[in-house]
C-alpha cells in the first residue's frame, strides 16, 4: 500500500510557519525564513502520516505544476490567490526529491495527479484535506479521519460540486446553492446532468455555464488525461467513470 500525499498543503504550511518578519520601521519589513526549520517541519508532518498507516508504507508526494490548465477554461480561476509562496517553498520541494518519490505533472494540479494515479493504481490511500478528493474512488484520509469513497459516491460528489461551486477556487456554481441544497435537489430530481443544467437555467444561466463549472470541479482520473499529448481531456456529460489501464503520467523535477 502506498500513501499518495497532497504535499502542496504540507509544504506551504511548513514554510509559512518558518517565516519571520523583521520590522525595521520607516516602511521597511523584511521577511526571513529558516530552510532547515521548514524542511524539518515538512518531514515531521510526513512522518506522522506514515506512522498512522505503518512505517512500512511507501510515500509518493504530489505537487501542482506552475501552469494550470483550468486557467484556459476560466481565466479568473484561483485569481484571488495572488500571494506568493512562502520563503523556501521551491527549495523544500527540491530537497524532498532526495528522499521521496515526487510527482509533478505538466499543466495539472496535485489533486489531478493524485486522481490519475489513484484510479490507475487502485488499492492505495489518498492523503489530502481537500474535499474535492471525495470524487475519487478508493481510500481517503483527510488528516482527521479515513474512509472509503465508492465509484458512485465519487460521481455524485462531482455533480454536487458542479452545482455548489467552490468560492475558494473562484468558481461560483449556481447562485444560492451550496452543498446541502445541491444534495437535496439531486435526491429529489435524480443525480444527472439534466438536473445540473435545469438548476443553472432556473437561475437565468446556460448549459455552457454549467459545463464550465463541471469542468472546473472535475478532479482528473486516468480516463481524463491524454498520455500521448500530455494534457487533460476536458470533461463532458458523455464522460463515464470507468477506469482503464492508461500509462502513468510523466513527471518533471522542480
Amino acid at each position: 500500500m502506498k500513501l499518495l500525499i497532497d504535499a502542496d498543503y504540507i509544504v506551504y504550511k511548513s514554510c509559512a510557519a518558518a517565516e519571520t518578519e523583521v520590522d525595521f520601521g520607516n516602511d521597511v519589513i523584511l521577511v526571513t525564513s529558516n530552510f532547515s526549520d521548514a524542511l524539518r517541519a515538512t518531514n515531521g508532518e510526513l512522518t506522522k502520516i506514515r506512522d498512522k498507516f505503518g512505517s512500512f508504507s511507501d510515500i509518493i508526494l504530489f505537487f501542482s505544476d506552475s501552469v494550470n490548465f483550468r486557467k484556459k477554461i476560466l481565466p479568473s480561476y484561483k485569481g484571488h490567490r495572488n500571494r506568493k509562496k512562502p520563503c523556501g517553498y521551491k527549495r523544500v520541494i527540491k530537497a524532498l526529491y532526495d528522499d521521496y518519490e515526487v510527482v509533478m505533472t505538466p499543466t495539472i494540479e496535485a489533486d489531478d495527479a493524485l486522481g490519475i494515479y489513484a484510479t490507475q493504481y487502485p488499492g492505495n490511500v489518498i492523503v489530502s484535506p481537500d474535499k474535492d478528493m471525495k470524487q475519487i474512488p478508493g481510500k481517503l484520509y483527510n488528516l482527521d479521519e479515513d474512509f472509503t469513497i465508492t465509484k458512485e459516491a465519487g460521481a455524485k460528489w462531482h455533480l454536487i460540486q458542479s452545482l455548489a461551486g467552490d468560492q475558494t477556487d473562484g468558481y461560483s456554481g449556481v447562485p444560492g446553492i451550496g452543498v446541502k441544497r445541491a444534495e437535496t435537489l439531486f435526491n429529489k430530481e435524480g443525480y444527472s446532468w439534466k438536473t445540473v443544467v435545469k438548476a443553472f437555467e432556473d437561475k437565468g444561466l446556460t448549459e455552457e455555464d454549467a459545463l464550465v463549472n463541471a469542468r472546473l470541479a472535475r478532479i482528473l482520473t486516468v480516463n481524463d488525461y491524454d498520455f500521448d499529448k500530455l494534457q487533460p481531456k476536458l470533461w463532458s456529460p458523455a464522460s463515464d467513470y470507468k477506469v482503464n489501464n492508461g500509462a502513468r503520467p510523466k513527471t518533471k523535477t522542480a
Side-chain angles (χ1 to χ4, degrees):
M1 179 183 70
K2 295 181 179 180
L3 302 178
L4 315 179
I5 301 179
D6 178 355
D8 276 342
Y9 168 79
I10 292 173
V11 174
Y12 190 103
K13 181 179 72 169
S14 298
C15 289
E19 286 186 340
T20 301
E21 288 188 0
V22 181
D23 190 343
F24 290 96
N26 298 321
D27 295 330
V28 178
I29 299 175
L30 177 67
V31 178
T32 65
S33 177
N34 186 296
F35 168 74
S36 295
D37 287 348
L39 182 59
R40 187 180 302 110
T42 298
N43 282 319
E45 292 295 323
L46 296 175
T47 297
K48 284 193 291 185
I49 293 171
R50 173 178 272 160
D51 288 347
K52 173 179 171 57
F53 291 93
S55 59
F56 58 85
S57 299
D58 291 330
I59 285 179
I60 304 179
L61 306 182
F62 292 78
F63 291 97
S64 298
D65 189 34
S66 58
V67 178
N68 192 328
F69 80 94
R70 289 182 176 85
K71 290 281 189 180
K72 292 185 177 180
I73 302 173
L74 185 69
S76 61
Y77 179 75
K78 288 189 175 179
H80 59 292
R81 296 189 181 185
N82 292 322
R83 185 188 185 279
K84 74 174 186 66
K85 293 291 193 295
C87 293
Y89 182 82
K90 290 184 178 180
R91 185 177 172 188
V92 168
I93 293 176
K94 189 173 183 179
L96 292 172
Y97 275 82
D98 293 336
D99 298 314
Y100 300 95
E101 181 177 355
V102 175
V103 173
M104 186 184 292
T105 305
T107 78
I108 68 175
E109 299 180 65
D111 293 351
D112 300 303
L114 279 164
I116 292 170
Y117 192 103
T119 50
Q120 184 180 2
Y121 303 109
N124 298 304
V125 179
I126 291 177
V127 180
S128 172
D130 195 329
K131 64 183 183 300
D132 292 345
M133 299 314 298
K134 291 167 66 176
Q135 293 182 34
I136 303 302
K139 296 180 180 179
L140 172 64
Y141 174 52
N142 66 3
L143 302 184
D144 289 319
E145 58 181 335
D146 54 277
F147 42 90
T148 299
I149 308 295
T150 66
K151 189 175 181 180
E152 180 183 19
K156 287 181 176 180
W157 187 252
H158 172 235
L159 295 179
I160 290 169
Q161 287 286 91
S162 300
L163 280 192
D166 191 327
Q167 297 299 325
T168 301
D169 287 342
Y171 64 98
S172 59
V174 177
I177 293 185
V179 170
K180 293 298 183 183
R181 289 193 63 183
E183 290 175 331
T184 298
L185 180 62
F186 282 122
N187 287 333
K188 178 182 178 182
E189 303 292 338
Y191 280 85
S192 71
W193 181 243
K194 181 178 178 181
T195 302
V196 173
V197 173
K198 184 176 184 302
F200 274 85
E201 291 179 342
D202 285 347
K203 292 292 186 177
L205 300 170
T206 67
E207 183 171 3
E208 181 61 27
D209 294 318
L211 186 58
V212 166
N213 278 269
R215 285 175 169 173
L216 293 173
R218 174 74 167 181
I219 300 301
L220 303 182
T221 69
V222 69
N223 278 346
D224 301 317
Y225 194 79
D226 188 321
F227 296 94
D228 294 321
K229 297 180 180 179
L230 298 180
Q231 64 185 25
K233 301 175 185 178
L234 297 184
W235 184 87
S236 73
S239 299
D240 63 25
Y241 295 84
K242 181 175 64 176
V243 175
N244 63 26
N245 292 317
R248 180 176 171 182
K250 293 183 179 179
T251 64
K252 69 177 187 180
T253 58

